[in-house]
Amino acid sequence: MTEPQASAVDLFPDAPDLARRVAFILEIDKLKQVLRRTLLLDASRVENDAEHSWHMATMALVLHPYAEPGTDLLTVLKMLLVHDIVEIDAGDTYVYDAAASQTQAEREERAAERLFGLLPEPHAHDLREVWRAFERRDTREARFARAIDRLQPLLHSYHTEGRVWRQNAVAAADVRRAMAIIGDSSPRLATLAEDMISDAERRGLLR
Amino acid sequence: MTEPQASAVDLFPDAPDLARRVAFILEIDKLKQVLRRTLLLDASRVENDAEHSWHMATMALVLHPYAEPGTDLLTVLKMLLVHDIVEIDAGDTYVYDAAASQTQAEREERAAERLFGLLPEPHAHDLREVWRAFERRDTREARFARAIDRLQPLLHSYHTEGRVWRQNAVAAADVRRAMAIIGDSSPRLATLAEDMISDAERRGLLR
């Protein structure tokens, strides 16, 4: 059992396409170790990017009726499944950390090149474009995916007594600013966000 | 800050549909705490069902060219995102544990009733049907989703020197039996599985 492990590429010398797809699948396992600030709902630990991505994709399934009419669910799911993969190289950037946010775009662009580049073409290009659309927020699908990406941590912070907000002395005004994009996709989900922010403010969970 | 937290239902007395969807979203957070036998690729800890579900959905994106022609990717993604949710109530059943497998179907059916039943109709019915199709394996989409569900832990076990196999004294014949369904969706992925099993057998990682 000391014999070296065959790699995906060794196993399929005749199938470079499949070998590259398997190499990507193995590499993205690392997303399970990229930690976020958001707590699980029982506040027992912070969540990681892989769990977060699953939760958001499933949220999109369930909240799709509240998206702009004509929002293509398959495209939204692809976005939510792959959008955090860049954080394997670039790390998680807290939405209320202004300094880290400045270098975020460049770090994430490099990461997208490397990580999606593990896949064969045209799949590498496709997923890179899905990720870029998410970042640009210029399609209905991207607006909905980004709305979900904001709503999920808000739900968690609100339902864990604002512990992460209080630790970071987050202001209600900053949360409102971050959450404003939800309304571009869904007025109803924007109202849900505002109801939680107002209640948290009233109860002193936000500055 | 000792004032009781408003629940989703309290927040939206006028929006029972949205309140139920939010209650489902909060409930399924528990999937992040259902542990599996499979190790992360660096063998640092076992993975949980939420991470596993994300990994499989993303695998489906990337391996879709190897599925039966005409396999609908959106249906596959829905299946992979929701299929493990029943384990919040029913727990994870190790594929090589014969005793637990006997009561698994009944426990999971009860769980599907309760958990998907948190959603409003017709969405509760839809997701329950998606989950049942996955279990029955009688559509192209279900065959592909189930193939991915077998392939993911095989990739992990193979790439962690078969540690979980060795701890449970798993036989190569049992792995071959469990993996046989992969070929119903994808001959190429079945060959990939067999290559890993044969190599693991030759190296003494499987009985």
Side-chain angles (χ1 to χ4, degrees):
Chain A
M1 278 180 285
T2 54
E3 201 176 329
Q5 187 85 20
S7 77
V9 179
D10 295 338
L11 275 175
F12 320 111
D14 58 330
D17 179 277
L18 182 54
R20 292 185 70 167
R21 290 172 196 273
V22 171
F24 176 80
I25 288 164
L26 296 174
E27 178 69 12
I28 65 172
D29 193 63
K30 293 177 184 164
L31 199 62
K32 299 169 188 170
Q33 299 187 318
V34 178
L35 300 182
R36 297 170 49 78
R37 302 281 181 111
T38 315
L39 291 164
L40 298 194
L41 284 179
D42 71 354
S44 58
R45 62 169 172 82
V46 296
E47 67 175 359
N48 65 58
D49 267 346
E51 301 168 320
H52 167 69
S53 298
W54 165 77
H55 207 174
M56 286 197 302
T58 310
M59 281 176 74
L61 267 188
V62 161
L63 295 179
H64 185 225
Y66 292 90
E68 287 168 84
T71 300
D72 179 63
L73 183 56
L74 177 58
T75 304
V76 172
L77 294 182
K78 280 187 191 178
M79 277 182 185
L80 289 172
L81 290 170
V82 308
H83 85 285
D84 267 340
I85 286 177
V86 294
E87 298 190 358
I88 289 173
D89 286 356
D92 177 51
T93 306
Y94 191 45
V95 66
Y96 306 115
D97 180 342
S101 296
Q102 285 194 331
T103 61
Q104 186 181 6
E106 190 197 320
R107 284 180 289 120
E108 292 192 350
E109 183 62 43
R110 270 202 310 273
E113 282 300 323
R114 183 184 83 79
L115 289 156
F116 297 123
L118 295 169
L119 289 167
E121 293 299 350
H123 219 111
H125 178 78
D126 287 351
L127 289 190
R128 227 182 265 121
E129 285 307 305
V130 162
W131 172 75
R132 288 194 184 119
F134 176 86
E135 294 297 314
R136 284 194 310 262
R137 220 167 54 81
D138 58 0
T139 61
R140 281 182 293 217
E141 289 72 25
R143 283 190 290 274
F144 184 52
R146 290 288 293 275
I148 299 287
D149 190 43
R150 292 289 155 97
L151 193 58
Q152 192 261 1
L154 176 63
L155 276 171
H156 277 242
S157 294
Y158 179 73
H159 286 277
T160 48
E161 293 288 321
R163 197 189 295 189
V164 177
W165 288 332
R166 287 183 281 131
Q167 280 166 356
N168 294 278
V170 173
D174 290 333
V175 178
R176 281 204 176 86
R177 204 170 300 122
M179 297 302 151
I181 63 172
I182 296 175
D184 295 339
S185 171
S186 171
R188 189 65 194 86
L189 296 181
T191 306
L192 162 62
E194 178 52 36
D195 287 350
M196 287 189 280
I197 297 168
S198 307
D199 189 56
E201 199 173 13
R202 191 177 54 79
R203 290 160 60 224
L205 308 181
L206 283 164
R207 260 202 303 131
Chain B
M1 279 177 285
T2 55
E3 202 176 326
Q5 187 85 21
S7 77
V9 179
D10 296 337
L11 275 176
F12 321 111
D14 58 331
D17 178 278
L18 181 54
R20 292 185 69 168
R21 290 172 196 273
V22 171
F24 176 80
I25 287 165
L26 296 175
E27 179 69 12
I28 65 172
D29 193 63
K30 293 177 183 163
L31 198 62
K32 299 169 188 171
Q33 297 187 320
V34 178
L35 299 183
R36 299 171 47 79
R37 303 281 181 113
T38 315
L39 292 164
L40 298 195
L41 284 178
D42 71 355
S44 57
R45 61 169 173 83
V46 296
E47 66 174 1
N48 65 57
D49 268 347
E51 300 168 322
H52 168 70
S53 298
W54 165 76
H55 207 174
M56 286 197 303
T58 310
M59 280 177 74
L61 268 188
V62 161
L63 296 178
H64 185 227
Y66 292 90
E68 289 168 83
T71 300
D72 179 62
L73 183 56
L74 177 59
T75 305
V76 172
L77 294 182
K78 281 187 190 177
M79 279 184 184
L80 290 172
L81 290 170
V82 307
H83 86 284
D84 267 340
I85 286 175
V86 295
E87 297 190 359
I88 288 173
D89 286 356
D92 178 51
T93 306
Y94 191 46
V95 66
Y96 306 114
D97 179 343
S101 296
Q102 285 193 331
T103 62
Q104 185 182 9
E106 190 197 318
R107 286 181 287 120
E108 293 192 348
E109 183 61 44
R110 269 202 310 273
E113 282 301 323
R114 182 184 85 79
L115 288 156
F116 297 123
L118 295 170
L119 289 168
E121 294 297 352
H123 219 112
H125 178 78
D126 288 350
L127 288 190
R128 227 183 264 119
E129 285 307 305
V130 162
W131 173 75
R132 288 197 183 115
F134 176 86
E135 294 299 314
R136 284 195 310 264
R137 220 167 55 80
D138 58 1
T139 61
R140 281 180 292 215
E141 289 73 24
R143 285 189 289 276
F144 183 54
R146 291 288 293 276
I148 298 287
D149 190 42
R150 291 290 154 96
L151 192 59
Q152 192 262 358
L154 176 63
L155 276 171
H156 276 242
S157 294
Y158 178 72
H159 285 278
T160 49
E161 295 285 321
R163 198 189 296 188
V164 178
W165 287 332
R166 288 183 280 131
Q167 280 166 355
N168 294 278
V170 173
D174 290 334
V175 178
R176 280 203 176 85
R177 204 170 301 121
M179 297 301 149
I181 64 172
I182 295 175
D184 296 340
S185 171
S186 172
R188 189 65 194 86
L189 296 181
T191 307
L192 161 62
E194 178 52 36
D195 287 349
M196 286 189 279
I197 298 168
S198 308
D199 189 56
E201 201 174 13
R202 191 176 55 77
R203 291 160 59 223
L205 309 181
L206 285 163
R207 259 202 304 129

